[in-house]
Short mmCIF file of all heavy atoms in Angstrom, two decimals:
data_model
loop_
_atom_site.label_atom_id
_atom_site.label_comp_id
_atom_site.label_asym_id
_atom_site.label_seq_id
_atom_site.Cartn_x
_atom_site.Cartn_y
_atom_site.Cartn_z
N ARG A 1 -46.72 -55.42 -26.70
CA ARG A 1 -46.58 -56.22 -27.92
C ARG A 1 -46.32 -57.69 -27.62
O ARG A 1 -46.25 -58.51 -28.53
CB ARG A 1 -45.45 -55.67 -28.79
CG ARG A 1 -45.69 -54.27 -29.34
CD ARG A 1 -44.58 -53.86 -30.29
NE ARG A 1 -44.72 -52.48 -30.71
CZ ARG A 1 -44.06 -51.45 -30.16
NH1 ARG A 1 -43.21 -51.67 -29.16
NH2 ARG A 1 -44.26 -50.22 -30.59
N LYS A 2 -46.10 -57.99 -26.34
CA LYS A 2 -45.81 -59.35 -25.87
C LYS A 2 -44.54 -59.91 -26.50
O LYS A 2 -44.46 -61.09 -26.88
CB LYS A 2 -47.00 -60.27 -26.13
CG LYS A 2 -48.26 -59.82 -25.41
CD LYS A 2 -49.37 -60.84 -25.50
CE LYS A 2 -50.64 -60.34 -24.81
NZ LYS A 2 -50.45 -60.00 -23.39
N THR A 3 -43.53 -59.04 -26.59
CA THR A 3 -42.22 -59.45 -27.10
C THR A 3 -41.18 -59.38 -25.98
O THR A 3 -40.06 -58.95 -26.19
CB THR A 3 -41.78 -58.56 -28.27
OG1 THR A 3 -41.81 -57.18 -27.86
CG2 THR A 3 -42.70 -58.75 -29.47
N SER A 4 -41.57 -59.79 -24.79
CA SER A 4 -40.71 -59.73 -23.62
C SER A 4 -40.77 -61.04 -22.85
O SER A 4 -41.84 -61.66 -22.73
CB SER A 4 -41.12 -58.57 -22.71
OG SER A 4 -40.50 -58.68 -21.45
N PHE A 5 -39.64 -61.45 -22.29
CA PHE A 5 -39.60 -62.64 -21.44
C PHE A 5 -40.06 -62.33 -20.02
O PHE A 5 -40.10 -63.23 -19.18
CB PHE A 5 -38.20 -63.26 -21.45
CG PHE A 5 -37.14 -62.43 -20.78
CD1 PHE A 5 -36.80 -62.63 -19.46
CD2 PHE A 5 -36.48 -61.43 -21.49
CE1 PHE A 5 -35.82 -61.87 -18.84
CE2 PHE A 5 -35.50 -60.67 -20.88
CZ PHE A 5 -35.16 -60.88 -19.55
N LEU A 6 -40.39 -61.06 -19.74
CA LEU A 6 -40.83 -60.68 -18.41
C LEU A 6 -42.26 -60.13 -18.42
O LEU A 6 -42.58 -59.18 -17.72
CB LEU A 6 -39.88 -59.65 -17.79
CG LEU A 6 -38.48 -60.17 -17.43
CD1 LEU A 6 -37.63 -59.07 -16.83
CD2 LEU A 6 -38.56 -61.36 -16.48
N LEU A 7 -43.14 -60.75 -19.21
CA LEU A 7 -44.55 -60.35 -19.22
C LEU A 7 -45.16 -60.57 -17.84
O LEU A 7 -44.85 -61.54 -17.14
CB LEU A 7 -45.32 -61.17 -20.26
CG LEU A 7 -44.92 -60.99 -21.73
CD1 LEU A 7 -45.74 -61.95 -22.59
CD2 LEU A 7 -45.11 -59.56 -22.18
N ASP A 8 -46.01 -59.62 -17.43
CA ASP A 8 -46.73 -59.73 -16.15
C ASP A 8 -45.79 -59.96 -14.97
O ASP A 8 -46.09 -60.70 -14.04
CB ASP A 8 -47.75 -60.88 -16.21
CG ASP A 8 -48.75 -60.70 -17.35
OD1 ASP A 8 -49.25 -59.58 -17.52
OD2 ASP A 8 -49.01 -61.68 -18.06
N SER A 9 -44.64 -59.31 -15.01
CA SER A 9 -43.63 -59.52 -13.94
C SER A 9 -43.79 -58.54 -12.78
O SER A 9 -43.09 -58.68 -11.77
CB SER A 9 -42.22 -59.40 -14.52
OG SER A 9 -42.03 -58.13 -15.14
N LEU A 10 -44.69 -57.56 -12.89
CA LEU A 10 -44.85 -56.58 -11.82
C LEU A 10 -45.26 -57.29 -10.52
O LEU A 10 -46.21 -58.08 -10.49
CB LEU A 10 -45.91 -55.56 -12.21
CG LEU A 10 -45.88 -54.21 -11.50
CD1 LEU A 10 -44.59 -53.47 -11.79
CD2 LEU A 10 -47.07 -53.35 -11.94
N GLY A 11 -44.51 -57.04 -9.47
CA GLY A 11 -44.79 -57.66 -8.19
C GLY A 11 -44.23 -59.06 -8.02
O GLY A 11 -44.48 -59.71 -7.00
N LYS A 12 -43.45 -59.51 -9.02
CA LYS A 12 -42.91 -60.87 -8.96
C LYS A 12 -41.40 -60.86 -8.77
O LYS A 12 -40.71 -59.92 -9.14
CB LYS A 12 -43.28 -61.62 -10.24
CG LYS A 12 -44.78 -61.82 -10.42
CD LYS A 12 -45.08 -62.57 -11.69
CE LYS A 12 -46.59 -62.76 -11.87
NZ LYS A 12 -46.92 -63.47 -13.14
N GLN A 13 -40.89 -61.95 -8.19
CA GLN A 13 -39.46 -62.11 -7.96
C GLN A 13 -38.79 -62.43 -9.29
O GLN A 13 -39.05 -63.47 -9.90
CB GLN A 13 -39.20 -63.24 -6.98
CG GLN A 13 -37.77 -63.37 -6.51
CD GLN A 13 -37.48 -62.52 -5.28
OE1 GLN A 13 -38.36 -62.35 -4.45
NE2 GLN A 13 -36.28 -62.01 -5.18
N VAL A 14 -37.90 -61.54 -9.74
CA VAL A 14 -37.19 -61.74 -10.99
C VAL A 14 -35.70 -61.89 -10.74
O VAL A 14 -35.03 -62.72 -11.36
CB VAL A 14 -37.46 -60.57 -11.97
CG1 VAL A 14 -36.50 -60.60 -13.14
CG2 VAL A 14 -38.89 -60.64 -12.47
N PHE A 15 -35.16 -61.09 -9.83
CA PHE A 15 -33.74 -61.15 -9.46
C PHE A 15 -33.57 -61.87 -8.12
O PHE A 15 -34.55 -62.14 -7.42
CB PHE A 15 -33.16 -59.74 -9.33
CG PHE A 15 -33.05 -58.98 -10.62
CD1 PHE A 15 -34.09 -58.18 -11.06
CD2 PHE A 15 -31.91 -59.06 -11.39
CE1 PHE A 15 -33.99 -57.46 -12.25
CE2 PHE A 15 -31.79 -58.35 -12.58
CZ PHE A 15 -32.84 -57.54 -13.00
N SER A 16 -32.32 -62.15 -7.79
CA SER A 16 -32.04 -62.63 -6.44
C SER A 16 -32.38 -61.52 -5.45
O SER A 16 -32.45 -60.35 -5.81
CB SER A 16 -30.57 -63.03 -6.31
OG SER A 16 -29.73 -61.88 -6.37
N LYS A 17 -32.58 -61.90 -4.21
CA LYS A 17 -33.07 -60.95 -3.21
C LYS A 17 -32.09 -59.82 -2.90
O LYS A 17 -32.50 -58.81 -2.33
CB LYS A 17 -33.43 -61.70 -1.93
CG LYS A 17 -34.66 -62.59 -2.07
CD LYS A 17 -35.05 -63.23 -0.76
CE LYS A 17 -36.31 -64.06 -0.92
NZ LYS A 17 -36.74 -64.69 0.36
N LEU A 18 -30.84 -59.96 -3.28
CA LEU A 18 -29.88 -58.90 -2.96
C LEU A 18 -29.91 -57.74 -3.96
O LEU A 18 -29.25 -56.72 -3.77
CB LEU A 18 -28.46 -59.46 -2.86
CG LEU A 18 -27.83 -60.10 -4.11
CD1 LEU A 18 -27.20 -59.06 -5.02
CD2 LEU A 18 -26.80 -61.13 -3.70
N VAL A 19 -30.71 -57.87 -5.04
CA VAL A 19 -30.72 -56.85 -6.10
C VAL A 19 -31.74 -55.77 -5.80
O VAL A 19 -32.91 -56.05 -5.55
CB VAL A 19 -31.00 -57.50 -7.47
CG1 VAL A 19 -31.18 -56.41 -8.54
CG2 VAL A 19 -29.87 -58.44 -7.86
N ARG A 20 -31.26 -54.52 -5.88
CA ARG A 20 -32.11 -53.34 -5.74
C ARG A 20 -31.74 -52.36 -6.85
O ARG A 20 -30.57 -52.02 -7.04
CB ARG A 20 -31.93 -52.70 -4.37
CG ARG A 20 -32.57 -51.33 -4.24
CD ARG A 20 -32.45 -50.78 -2.84
NE ARG A 20 -32.91 -49.40 -2.76
CZ ARG A 20 -33.15 -48.75 -1.64
NH1 ARG A 20 -32.97 -49.35 -0.48
NH2 ARG A 20 -33.56 -47.50 -1.65
N ILE A 21 -32.75 -51.91 -7.58
CA ILE A 21 -32.54 -50.94 -8.66
C ILE A 21 -33.49 -49.77 -8.44
O ILE A 21 -34.69 -49.96 -8.22
CB ILE A 21 -32.79 -51.57 -10.04
CG1 ILE A 21 -31.85 -52.76 -10.27
CG2 ILE A 21 -32.59 -50.53 -11.14
CD1 ILE A 21 -32.12 -53.51 -11.57
N ASP A 22 -32.96 -48.55 -8.50
CA ASP A 22 -33.75 -47.34 -8.34
C ASP A 22 -33.63 -46.46 -9.57
O ASP A 22 -32.60 -46.46 -10.26
CB ASP A 22 -33.28 -46.55 -7.12
CG ASP A 22 -33.54 -47.27 -5.81
OD1 ASP A 22 -34.71 -47.55 -5.53
OD2 ASP A 22 -32.58 -47.56 -5.09
N GLU A 23 -34.68 -45.68 -9.81
CA GLU A 23 -34.64 -44.65 -10.85
C GLU A 23 -34.55 -43.29 -10.15
O GLU A 23 -35.37 -42.98 -9.30
CB GLU A 23 -35.88 -44.70 -11.73
CG GLU A 23 -35.81 -43.69 -12.89
CD GLU A 23 -36.99 -43.80 -13.84
OE1 GLU A 23 -38.08 -44.17 -13.39
OE2 GLU A 23 -36.80 -43.51 -15.04
N ARG A 24 -33.52 -42.51 -10.53
CA ARG A 24 -33.25 -41.25 -9.84
C ARG A 24 -33.12 -40.11 -10.86
O ARG A 24 -32.02 -39.71 -11.25
CB ARG A 24 -31.96 -41.35 -9.02
CG ARG A 24 -32.04 -42.44 -7.94
CD ARG A 24 -30.73 -42.59 -7.20
NE ARG A 24 -30.80 -43.67 -6.21
CZ ARG A 24 -29.75 -44.12 -5.52
NH1 ARG A 24 -28.55 -43.60 -5.73
NH2 ARG A 24 -29.90 -45.11 -4.66
N PRO A 25 -34.24 -39.55 -11.29
CA PRO A 25 -34.22 -38.55 -12.37
C PRO A 25 -33.68 -37.19 -11.95
O PRO A 25 -33.39 -36.35 -12.81
CB PRO A 25 -35.68 -38.45 -12.78
CG PRO A 25 -36.44 -38.86 -11.57
CD PRO A 25 -35.61 -39.90 -10.90
N PHE A 26 -33.55 -36.94 -10.64
CA PHE A 26 -33.20 -35.59 -10.20
C PHE A 26 -31.74 -35.45 -9.78
O PHE A 26 -31.37 -34.48 -9.11
CB PHE A 26 -34.12 -35.16 -9.05
CG PHE A 26 -35.57 -35.22 -9.41
CD1 PHE A 26 -36.44 -36.02 -8.68
CD2 PHE A 26 -36.07 -34.51 -10.48
CE1 PHE A 26 -37.78 -36.09 -9.01
CE2 PHE A 26 -37.41 -34.58 -10.82
CZ PHE A 26 -38.27 -35.37 -10.09
N GLU A 27 -30.89 -36.40 -10.15
CA GLU A 27 -29.47 -36.27 -9.82
C GLU A 27 -28.88 -35.07 -10.57
O GLU A 27 -28.99 -34.97 -11.79
CB GLU A 27 -28.72 -37.53 -10.21
CG GLU A 27 -29.02 -38.72 -9.31
CD GLU A 27 -28.11 -39.90 -9.59
OE1 GLU A 27 -27.37 -39.86 -10.60
OE2 GLU A 27 -28.13 -40.86 -8.80
#
């Protein structure tokens, strides 16, 4: 819908380099 400030952000630097986020559905 283009209602995001992070359009086309895939593969781009958004956070500082120390940030890592994972999705863990099987906990």
Side-chain angles (χ1 to χ4, degrees):
R1 295 185 186 98
K2 300 189 182 302
T3 56
S4 167
F5 67 95
L6 291 180
L7 296 176
D8 303 315
S9 57
L10 202 63
K12 296 180 181 178
Q13 189 89 33
V14 168
F15 291 91
S16 69
K17 291 185 178 181
L18 63 84
V19 173
R20 169 176 173 167
I21 301 175
D22 293 300
E23 184 176 31
R24 300 176 182 172
F26 303 121
E27 288 188 350

